[in-house]
Amino acid sequence: MESGIFFSDYRSDMALRRMPLQKVRTGLLLVGLVVFPFLATPYWLNLANQIAIATIGAIGLNILVGYTGQISLGQGAFMAIGAYGAGLLTVRFGVPFYISIPVAALITAVAGLVVGLPSLRLKGLYLAVATLAAQQIVEFVVTHWTGLTGGTEALVVPAPEMFGARLNTDGRFYWILIVVALAVALFAANLFRSRVGRAWVAIRDQDIAASAIGVNVFGYKLLAFATSSFLVGLSGALLAHYRSIVTWERFTIEVSISYLAMIIIGGLGTISGSFFGATLIVLLPAMINTVGRSLQDTAPWAATVLPYVQQGVFGLVIILFLVLEPEGLARLWRNVKDYFRVWPFSY
Amino acid sequence: MAEPAASSPAPSTCLEVDGLTLSFGGVHALDDVALDVRHGEVFAIIGPNGAGKTSLLNSISGLYRPQKGSITYSASPGEEPASLLGRAPHKVAQLGVARSFQNIELFRAMSVLENLMLGRHIHMRGNVLTCGVYWGSQRREEIRHRAAVEDVIDFLEIENLRHQAVGTLAYGLQKRVELARALALDPKLLLLDEPMAGMNVEEKEDMARFILDVNEERGVTTVLIEHDMGVVMDLSDRVAVLDFGRSIACGTPDHVRADPAVIHAYLGDAG
Ligand SMILES: Nc1ncnc2c1ncn2[C@@H]1O[C@H](COP(=O)(O)OP(=O)(O)OP(=O)(O)O)[C@@H](O)[C@H]1O
Ligand SMILES: [Mg+2]
């Protein structure tokens, strides 16, 4: 707690942003997000949009894995259901994109509920294997049910339109993504300061005690699967409309694993960690690419080893985090804040 | 036995266990156990290690499924008794049965406050939508139950621990927080599994005082497992003795202490 500040009523003691400094920081963040698209090049806007979509997906995964303690390898599958759901609704039925997105998210939530059923009996790695099965089944269906999804052919989604305006540029889509990502972050933060989020964390920490205190453990696990999948489906659906193209390669088991890496590097069970992890995992390959390209003229061989370097660095970063800061970027950020809270008086 | 063997629960019976049998493979944890706990009393369960005390508590709170017998519970005098057997743990809690565990089972990563707020879970209504939006009635619900939790915090004198992660607290304090979490549920029946084990004398005295206060001021029927005979004699109105999964005696502390079967169980052939 920040020293020297006391609260006279429960409402302010229970607020999300209790400290003046926190309010200032949040204000600065919002201003930055509004100013950003006016200063950024399309390249950076594209990265920002990718980060926003990944953040939504990472928050979804974190609810299930970080907060509720149910390991899932099905992230790619849930994103696929959201993306194909939204894409097909628009392509086949002409549903406007702003309706197709929530509907696709709801469909994904139902799928999540079904995938969560084994959690009645299975825990830990056994549950992870069950979600892995779901991942494989969805991949199989998407690539083989050609009549519905187009199989391995890409599904082309028309550029989204709202109020007669085409939202086909990075700059325009940015606003949608930022608003949705902020809403999702706020929603999740609220969950974890109230009844439902507490029940989830209780299940993660001590499921027997949770049941003995009156938490319907299986019911809340299913709710976590559904809520998590809703958000993951939402990010998939947004991705479909943002990219205007849906291909199954974007939703393989590798995606599931890189999202797990995001929340581990960012910090399990933290909202800010979902954002930090998403940022790092999006930016890291982009940065390595940039370095590689700038080396192309002076050292042409660099381009050929680039993919390997990318994967190597990726793995190295994850291992370094696991070893040096198991609580992730969110923890580092907390340390920085702690440092500046008492700055310049360090004691 | 001094108690009349009632064929149906008397109106003042809070908890009645009859013919309860539970085995794990070949191990008979409980073998035809019978006892009855009256409304408003402090009831102790004693017995040597492995006698089946914890198994009995786990059966009452729905964590174990006994193969035979009955467990009936009525929250207050005059209320129709309900069967607890085969009921899921969270449904038992919803009837007003709260408990603590022999090896502290707190939510370690959470603060004391959050642990106690979980004690309010069954009294709250918030769902995933209202909680995510946290506006209007949900905010009011959280604040209302925070106030209820603060009452418990005052009652157990843990004001200065509110925001601490329970995992960082000393053992004795964790035991107290676990009692607090159970109390936050506003239980009608409190089950305590060795609430004073591993405590020093001072902590034990505090805990004994809290248990008596809970019983007297809040009228909570309390069942506790305890090894310390001194504590049992001081605290409890009646005592049941388990030995090798069987209930061998039940009655007032003095009555039980004089029972030859109990003396035999505790002192072996020397007794
Ligand atoms: N989950 C379980 N699986 C297998 N056996 C069990 C289980 N729980 C209890 N038992 C067995 O049941 C018997 C009674 O154990 P229980 O824990 O109820 O005893 P207790 O009276 O609480 O002992 P203590 O004083 O040591 O806490 C023991 O033989 C124990 O090994
Ligand atoms: Mg025991």
Side-chain angles (χ1 to χ4, degrees), chain A residues 1 10-11 13-14 18 187 190-191 193-196 198-202 204-206 208-216 220 227, chain B residues 89-90 93 101 105-110 117-119 121-122 124 126-128 131-134 139 142-143 146-147 150 163 181 185:
Chain A
M1 261 181 63
Y10 298 144
R11 183 173 164 162
D13 192 32
M14 293 158 82
R18 307 190 311 165
F187 187 85
N190 281 336
L191 280 179
R193 61 166 164 159
S194 50
R195 180 173 185 259
V196 171
R198 274 194 304 265
W200 283 335
V201 178
R204 177 195 72 191
D205 278 5
Q206 236 309 319
I208 289 175
S211 69
I213 205 76
V215 175
N216 179 352
Y220 270 87
T227 310
Chain B
H90 69 271
F101 293 85
E105 309 282 12
L106 285 164
F107 310 118
R108 297 178 59 83
M110 290 196 220
M117 283 300 276
L118 268 153
H121 183 85
I122 63 165
M124 300 176 78
N127 58 42
V128 74
C131 284
V133 175
Y134 200 82
R139 188 206 300 270
E142 293 288 331
I143 291 172
R146 168 74 187 270
E150 290 290 338
H163 292 289
R181 183 181 65 187
L185 189 139

Side-chain angles (χ1 to χ4, degrees), chain B residues 22 24-25 27-30 47-56 58 64 102 193-194 225 227 242:
Chain B
L22 167 72
F24 299 99
V27 180
H28 291 285
L30 298 173
N49 289 108
K53 305 181 294 297
T54 300
S55 299
L56 176 57
N58 285 351
Y64 286 172
Q102 187 167 350
D193 197 345
E194 307 201 13
I225 296 174
H227 277 296
L242 289 188

Side-chain angles (χ1 to χ4, degrees), chain B residues 36-154:
Chain B
D36 66 291
V37 179
R38 297 167 190 165
H39 282 113
E41 75 177 346
V42 175
F43 188 95
I45 299 172
I46 61 172
N49 289 108
K53 305 181 294 297
T54 300
S55 299
L56 176 57
L57 236 53
N58 285 351
S59 302
I60 296 169
S61 56
L63 296 170
Y64 286 172
R65 301 258 160 139
Q67 284 88 6
K68 269 207 307 234
S70 69
I71 305 172
T72 53
Y73 157 78
S74 96
S76 51
E79 191 165 309
E80 196 59 34
S83 170
L84 297 188
L85 208 67
R87 214 177 267 259
H90 69 271
K91 295 222 167 112
V92 174
Q94 281 162 10
L95 293 176
V97 181
R99 68 169 293 172
S100 71
F101 293 85
Q102 187 167 350
N103 312 304
I104 309 174
E105 309 282 12
L106 285 164
F107 310 118
R108 297 178 59 83
M110 290 196 220
S111 69
V112 170
L113 210 51
E114 288 170 311
N115 268 272
L116 299 208
M117 283 300 276
L118 268 153
R120 302 298 301 167
H121 183 85
I122 63 165
H123 299 291
M124 300 176 78
R125 294 281 72 89
N127 58 42
V128 74
L129 289 179
T130 59
C131 284
V133 175
Y134 200 82
W135 195 263
S137 65
Q138 185 59 39
R139 188 206 300 270
R140 283 195 298 278
E141 179 177 79
E142 293 288 331
I143 291 172
R144 200 166 59 243
H145 289 276
R146 168 74 187 270
V149 159
E150 290 290 338
D151 282 347
V152 176
I153 287 179
D154 287 346

Side-chain angles (χ1 to χ4, degrees), chain A residues 175-342:
Chain A
W175 296 108
I176 294 178
L177 291 176
I178 286 303
V179 169
V180 175
L182 284 175
V184 166
L186 184 64
F187 187 85
N190 281 336
L191 280 179
F192 292 103
R193 61 166 164 159
S194 50
R195 180 173 185 259
V196 171
R198 274 194 304 265
W200 283 335
V201 178
I203 290 169
R204 177 195 72 191
D205 278 5
Q206 236 309 319
D207 55 350
I208 289 175
S211 69
I213 205 76
V215 175
N216 179 352
V217 171
F218 182 49
Y220 270 87
K221 280 184 188 172
L222 287 185
L223 185 62
F225 267 97
T227 310
S228 161
S229 311
F230 180 91
L231 296 180
V232 176
L234 179 65
S235 80
L238 287 166
L239 189 65
H241 284 291
Y242 173 55
R243 289 266 182 238
S244 290
I245 195 162
V246 184
T247 58
W248 69 278
E249 291 103 329
R250 290 194 167 276
F251 309 110
T252 57
I253 178 76
E254 278 171 46
V255 173
S256 302
I257 290 168
S258 77
Y259 269 85
L260 278 175
M262 271 183 215
I263 60 171
I264 291 170
I265 293 175
L268 289 170
T270 61
I271 306 294
S272 61
S274 311
F275 165 70
F276 291 136
T279 305
L280 190 80
I281 299 280
V282 169
L283 289 187
L284 199 60
M287 296 301 113
I288 296 174
N289 255 333
T290 311
V291 173
R293 238 175 307 161
S294 65
L295 285 176
Q296 219 155 30
D297 301 330
T298 49
W301 54 269
T304 58
V305 297
L306 200 62
Y308 309 108
V309 173
Q310 209 156 345
Q311 294 203 331
V313 170
F314 202 75
L316 196 67
V317 167
I318 292 176
I319 290 170
L320 280 178
F321 263 101
L322 288 180
V323 173
L324 298 177
E325 189 53 86
E327 285 178 61
L329 285 165
R331 181 54 198 251
L332 283 182
W333 171 233
R334 236 181 355 258
N335 291 348
V336 171
K337 286 191 297 188
D338 284 347
Y339 177 78
F340 280 106
R341 204 177 51 211
V342 289

Side-chain angles (χ1 to χ4, degrees), chain B residues 52 60 62 77 112 124 127 168 224 233 246 263:
Chain B
I60 296 169
V112 170
M124 300 176 78
N127 58 42
T168 64
L224 71 103
M233 298 298 151
R246 284 170 298 115
I263 295 168

Side-chain angles (χ1 to χ4, degrees), chain B residues 158-195:
Chain B
I158 46 177
E159 293 89 344
N160 51 345
L161 309 179
R162 258 190 215 100
H163 292 289
Q164 293 204 36
V166 294
T168 64
L169 298 178
Y171 178 83
L173 288 176
Q174 291 197 16
K175 283 253 169 200
R176 199 187 292 186
V177 172
E178 208 186 11
L179 173 64
R181 183 181 65 187
L183 276 188
L185 189 139
D186 246 335
K188 300 291 177 291
L189 174 62
L190 186 59
L191 311 171
L192 303 174
D193 197 345
E194 307 201 13

